[in-house]
Amino acid sequence: MNDQDLKARLTAEQYKVTQKAGTERPFTGKYWDTKTDGSYHCIVCDAKLFDSDTKFDSGTGWPSFFDAESDKAVDLIKDRSLGMARTEVVCANCDAHLGHLFEDGPAPTNMRYCMNSASLHLHERDETDS
Ligand SMILES: [Zn+2]
């Protein structure tokens, strides 16, 4: 998909976050406080990235997960922008920027995937579909 198509399909916020590695303001996104059962997919390519089973309330104002759907769902990139050494998390399928990974999450992984709501789309779990 080319840049023009993406710009047309995504909101300005979604475009800025996923294509320009932007960060939404905390407590403003769609999913930071969501507890709905389901799976979180990439807003750009619809690949499954996270499950609500691994979502936890981090208090940061961004949707946070302690594990990704699988090792292959996301790619981790060392990010040295802003003078800090951070780990950027991107969609393994389409390279959309998702957020950052921090090593201060809860058990069992002790990882905190700090994501942007703008990068995600929640597929609510159907009661009959398990
Ligand atoms: Zn993607």
Side-chain angles (χ1 to χ4, degrees), residues 52-74:
S52 59
D53 290 349
T54 62
K55 194 173 188 290
F56 70 100
D57 183 3
S58 63
T60 59
W62 289 286
S64 302
F65 304 84
F66 60 77
D67 205 1
E69 170 62 16
S70 79
D71 289 349
K72 296 185 180 71
V74 298

Side-chain angles (χ1 to χ4, degrees), residues 1 4-5 11 14-16 22-23 25-26 37 42-43 46 66 68 74 82 98 102 107-108 113 121 126 130:
M1 187 170 298
Q4 284 301 337
D5 289 342
T11 68
Q14 289 166 346
Y15 182 84
K16 189 180 70 169
T23 300
R25 284 185 299 125
D37 198 29
C42 175
I43 192 70
D46 205 38
F66 60 77
V74 298
L82 304 176
L98 305 173
F102 301 91
Y113 289 81
H121 174 67
D126 196 331
S130 63

Side-chain angles (χ1 to χ4, degrees), residues 34-90:
T34 301
K35 296 179 175 66
T36 308
D37 198 29
S39 54
Y40 288 84
H41 294 241
C42 175
I43 192 70
V44 176
C45 73
D46 205 38
K48 186 177 178 185
L49 302 173
F50 297 96
D51 194 279
S52 59
D53 290 349
T54 62
K55 194 173 188 290
F56 70 100
D57 183 3
S58 63
T60 59
W62 289 286
S64 302
F65 304 84
F66 60 77
D67 205 1
E69 170 62 16
S70 79
D71 289 349
K72 296 185 180 71
V74 298
D75 279 338
L76 305 177
I77 300 168
K78 292 291 178 205
D79 173 5
R80 301 197 174 279
S81 64
L82 304 176
M84 293 183 284
R86 298 187 299 176
T87 302
E88 183 188 1
V89 183
V90 302

